[in-house]
Amino acid sequence: KPAKKKSHGDDLTMGPVFAIDNLVINLMSEGGTKYAKISLGLELDAQELAPEMLAKKALVTDIVITVVSSKTAEELMNIKGKESVKNEIMEKVNEKLKDGRVKNVYFTNFVVQ
């Protein structure tokens, strides 16, 4: 059976996803309060990481809030800004894990008001 071709070096099969839903986060703002309501999924490289992610859910959630709240609404409204936030979340979470790593971050809901 021939191996499936990989597109852009990414795996076509997704790993297990750890979800964090419905965070409401205040954003950096000049005058007036802006906030983001987001849900995200962190793709894990292995199922063995799931228990550690569950045990560290508060820590992971805090990292997401800290990263997102350091941005302005303008930064979060463009693709480049969102990519940068995903990478920052992934790096900071991976620093705190020992049983595996997060290999992708997906926003499943993203509203800035």
Side-chain angles (χ1 to χ4, degrees):
K1 188 176 168 185
K4 275 189 180 166
K5 277 208 170 92
K6 291 183 177 185
S7 60
H8 310 297
D10 287 336
D11 246 323
L12 294 176
T13 54
M14 277 193 65
V17 175
F18 183 80
I20 298 178
D21 293 322
N22 301 320
L23 294 177
V24 176
I25 303 168
N26 284 314
L27 302 174
M28 287 180 60
S29 168
E30 298 285 323
T33 307
K34 296 252 186 208
Y35 65 90
K37 182 178 180 188
I38 66 170
S39 297
L40 66 160
L42 294 99
E43 183 184 1
L44 313 180
D45 67 350
Q47 189 61 50
E48 293 75 48
L49 181 55
E52 184 181 1
M53 290 295 286
L54 204 54
K56 293 181 176 174
K57 185 167 186 174
L59 173 69
V60 173
T61 302
D62 181 67
I63 289 169
V64 173
I65 292 170
T66 302
V67 170
V68 175
S69 66
S70 72
K71 309 298 177 198
T72 63
E74 290 70 33
E75 286 175 288
L76 294 174
M77 292 307 283
N78 65 58
I79 300 288
K80 200 174 166 196
K82 283 190 182 76
E83 284 305 313
S84 152
V85 166
K86 288 179 182 184
N87 288 331
E88 205 174 318
I89 289 169
M90 193 163 59
E91 276 175 29
K92 288 192 156 81
V93 170
N94 281 335
E95 285 170 11
K96 306 289 185 191
L97 300 176
K98 62 180 196 303
D99 293 341
R101 63 183 201 90
V102 171
K103 63 178 192 174
N104 244 317
V105 174
Y106 300 101
F107 290 122
T108 53
N109 190 17
F110 200 106
V111 179
V112 174
Q113 287 185 301

